[in-house]
Amino acid sequence: MKKELLTGNEAIARGAYEAGVTVATAYPGTPSTEIIETISQYRDIYAEWSPNEKVALEVGIGASIAGARVLVAMKHVGVNVAADPLLTFSYTGVNGGLVLVSADDPGMHSSQNEQDNRFYGRFAKIPVLEPSDSQEAKDFVRIALEISEQFDTPVMLRITTRIAHSRSPVELGERMVFSLKDYEKNPRKYVMIPAYARQRHLLVEQRRKALEDYSEKTPLNFVEWGDHKLGVITSGVSYQYAREVMGNVSYLKLGMTNPLPRKLIEDFVKQVDEVYVVEELEPFMEEQIRSWGLKVIGKDLLPRTGELSPELVAEKILGENIKTEVAATVEEELPMRPPTLCPGCPHRGVFYVLRKLKLVVTGDIGCYTLGTLPPLESLDTCICMGASIGTALGMEKARGREFARKVVAVIGDSTFMHSGITGLLDVVYNLGTVTTIILDNSTTAMTGHQDHPGTGITVKKQSSKPVDLPALIKALGIERVQVVDPYDLKQLEDIVRQEVSADEPSVVITRRACILLDKKKEGQAYEVELDKCTGCKSCMKLGCPSIAFRENTAQIDDTLCNGCGLCSQVCKFGAIRKAGEAGE
């Protein structure tokens, strides 16, 4: 049997292929993005980037009811967006199996919080599976689909960042033949009016009990007996950490963590002298086990924030300081390198202008969140995907029209498609006057340049009809819509001043493609005429990585400069020009 070294995300995609999935949907979000990107390469599977996670799940639900096997992927906060259809889908159940991948992010490597989505599984009363390596990530997709169809329920496959992005060997199999199930009209199952939903809720409770029995017997949950003096109950990547440092102790490895196998756990606890629950983030298993009157140790020692590691497990449980092998070490302490916008990023000039005008800026999720860091320091708020516009409206309603003249909402084009449209609709409907700036860089940049309805390109690289953004905004009821090049600072500043003073809602679209979409430089690099530079540091306020300050003058690294020209526009002394034009 052929083996390949796959990341967890690649393995999940492979698992979907082998298990006969024919429909896969997602909205990009780290650490889950590569799942749908990999699946899109399989010709036998229809794959799409949906405008947001709620739509992704709704498309998946439709495909499941129609009889297909389905995979829907999203990062942990995406499940918040999809929670509404998810909790009702738990009632209706499936036709073709559906697995929902929730990619949690302990440590917040690229997220605004580190919620533990196993609680969503318990809340929705659906099974939760947790793979501990890439092989299990692949295998658990098939098992999740089988559970889904056997128990008439969606199934959550919960992974974490380390599983998503780590590589381990995976044994590949053949694609199974899964015929599309027959579709039958069944309103009592799929139409959740109260009369039908009450009946379905009773079935959900019956299913919960059946799943508890399944969890006791499934080989997903198993014991590895060792020394009976110490036992470890664990799941996911935490199992690997514990095995690496705790040696010949006894392990209860749980691949299915909702519902928990109570009898299996009780028997395990009785047979060892001392039991630790090793799990990342919340005491999801520990609290349930304690509620059964069992004595276990968990979050008394282990943190409920951030990722675990072998070193941390050894230190907290064994009281040992260990060092694991790493590929390379650096002896010298490296300087801090805070994240920053790329050289030539079209967002930089926008934040420079907003800071200059001392506006209150409600921000959103995307590259432009970096506008909150020095020296740009423009953002006042950032809550979640699509929240910037509603937050700005709330400020206006709380503090009045005069305050609103100082408020702008900032949102990217992909995020606007995700969930910004409804916020702008609310501004119109509820007579708001705030100005919204849509930073249109023609991609979903922060997650790696995925397309969206505004780009007119599907995940399969097919051309579709791109959204006409100004026309869409006008259709929502906004009369004042202007499109501006964010590299033209004077025009941008004039338009922003004009729109924030208007007595009606307005939208400014700053349109310039992400500098990384086209690897070619924007233009000729710029340089500093040292005899003209006064050392005022105005150019440093842009926060451009290509500009440094040495020996009392600014200097430009031409290997980084993309020739956007923003620095020459902010220099009051004409000291910055295109290379080769100095002194003319």
Side-chain angles (χ1 to χ4, degrees), residues 99 105 126 128 145 179 201 227 299 397 410:
V99 57
D105 189 15
I126 62 175
V128 177
L145 291 166
S179 301
H201 194 180
D227 190 331
K299 296 303 177 185
K397 295 303 181 184
V410 172

Side-chain angles (χ1 to χ4, degrees), residues 75-92:
K75 67 181 298 178
H76 60 299
V77 291
V79 180
N80 302 339
V81 182
D84 199 1
L86 175 62
L87 267 70
T88 300
F89 189 42
S90 172
Y91 276 36
T92 68

Side-chain angles (χ1 to χ4, degrees), residues 444-483:
T444 312
M446 184 165 256
T447 49
H449 299 115
Q450 289 76 35
D451 286 289
H452 58 72
T455 68
I457 305 291
T458 73
V459 72
K460 296 275 193 180
K461 302 306 176 189
Q462 297 170 307
S463 295
S464 64
K465 189 175 178 62
V467 171
D468 184 331
L469 198 53
L472 170 64
I473 294 164
K474 289 184 177 180
L476 294 176
I478 303 281
E479 300 294 336
R480 302 178 68 91
V481 183
Q482 298 206 53
V483 181

Side-chain angles (χ1 to χ4, degrees), residues 17-320:
Y17 169 76
E18 292 183 9
V21 165
T22 54
V23 176
T25 65
Y27 181 81
T30 307
S32 69
T33 306
E34 296 82 7
I35 296 173
I36 206 73
E37 286 183 332
T38 307
I39 284 180
S40 70
Q41 298 169 20
Y42 294 109
R43 290 191 298 177
D44 297 315
I45 303 178
Y46 166 80
E48 72 166 43
W49 291 128
S50 303
N52 63 35
E53 296 85 355
K54 178 174 180 288
V55 175
L57 181 55
E58 289 162 347
V59 172
I61 290 171
S64 168
I65 293 173
R69 280 191 164 180
V70 180
L71 182 141
V72 182
M74 57 193 67
K75 67 181 298 178
H76 60 299
V77 291
V79 180
N80 302 339
V81 182
D84 199 1
L86 175 62
L87 267 70
T88 300
F89 189 42
S90 172
Y91 276 36
T92 68
V94 305
N95 186 19
L98 185 143
V99 57
L100 170 64
V101 180
S102 170
D104 293 9
D105 189 15
M108 291 181 282
H109 297 283
S110 184
S111 306
Q112 63 269 44
N113 68 37
E114 53 181 0
Q115 68 191 43
D116 188 332
N117 274 7
R118 292 178 297 180
F119 285 98
Y120 261 120
R122 197 169 182 216
F123 186 29
K125 302 179 181 180
I126 62 175
V128 177
L129 307 188
E130 289 191 74
S132 62
D133 58 23
S134 294
Q135 181 68 57
E136 286 190 349
K138 191 205 78 164
D139 295 342
F140 280 18
V141 172
R142 175 185 54 78
I143 296 169
L145 291 166
E146 292 171 352
I147 293 172
S148 175
E149 290 162 358
Q150 180 180 348
F151 292 94
D152 194 13
T153 176
V155 176
M156 176 180 286
L157 183 69
R158 187 243 190 183
I159 60 171
T160 55
T161 305
R162 293 294 154 186
I163 297 296
H165 291 160
S166 299
R167 291 183 183 275
S168 60
V170 176
E171 192 172 272
L172 304 185
E174 299 296 325
R175 180 171 169 84
M176 68 174 291
V177 177
F178 179 81
S179 301
L180 196 68
K181 288 190 170 183
D182 292 337
Y183 170 72
E184 294 181 4
K185 183 173 181 174
N186 189 349
R188 288 185 177 274
K189 186 174 191 295
Y190 296 121
V191 181
M192 287 302 94
I193 59 175
Y196 297 162
R198 293 187 193 103
Q199 295 302 312
R200 294 297 307 180
H201 194 180
L202 298 176
L203 295 176
V204 169
E205 289 304 310
Q206 293 176 14
R207 183 183 74 200
R208 181 177 60 78
K209 293 178 181 177
L211 285 166
E212 288 174 353
D213 292 338
Y214 177 88
S215 186
E216 299 284 358
K217 302 168 185 172
T218 176
L220 295 173
N221 300 327
F222 59 87
V223 175
E224 296 173 331
W225 288 113
D227 190 331
H228 283 237
K229 291 181 179 177
L230 197 153
V232 176
I233 301 173
T234 186
S235 66
V237 74
S238 301
Y239 164 75
Q240 304 290 358
Y241 297 155
R243 284 301 308 261
E244 186 168 341
V245 299
M246 297 190 69
N248 186 35
V249 302
S250 296
Y251 299 91
L252 173 51
K253 198 265 191 188
L254 298 177
M256 184 174 188
T257 52
N258 190 64
L260 288 174
R262 179 170 178 170
K263 186 175 184 305
L264 182 64
I265 291 172
E266 287 176 338
D267 290 345
F268 180 78
V269 172
K270 287 177 183 175
Q271 296 186 58
V272 291
D273 296 339
E274 191 173 43
V275 180
Y276 292 87
V277 179
V278 180
E279 58 184 331
E280 284 183 330
L281 295 181
E282 299 298 318
F284 177 79
M285 297 189 292
E286 180 187 344
E287 285 185 345
Q288 293 180 73
I289 295 169
R290 284 178 181 271
S291 74
W292 301 333
L294 300 176
K295 185 179 179 181
V296 295
I297 304 168
K299 296 303 177 185
D300 291 341
L301 292 177
L302 297 166
R304 59 195 297 171
T305 60
E307 290 185 289
L308 298 182
S309 66
E311 294 87 348
L312 191 61
V313 173
E315 176 191 346
K316 297 297 183 182
I317 297 180
L318 304 176
E320 297 177 357

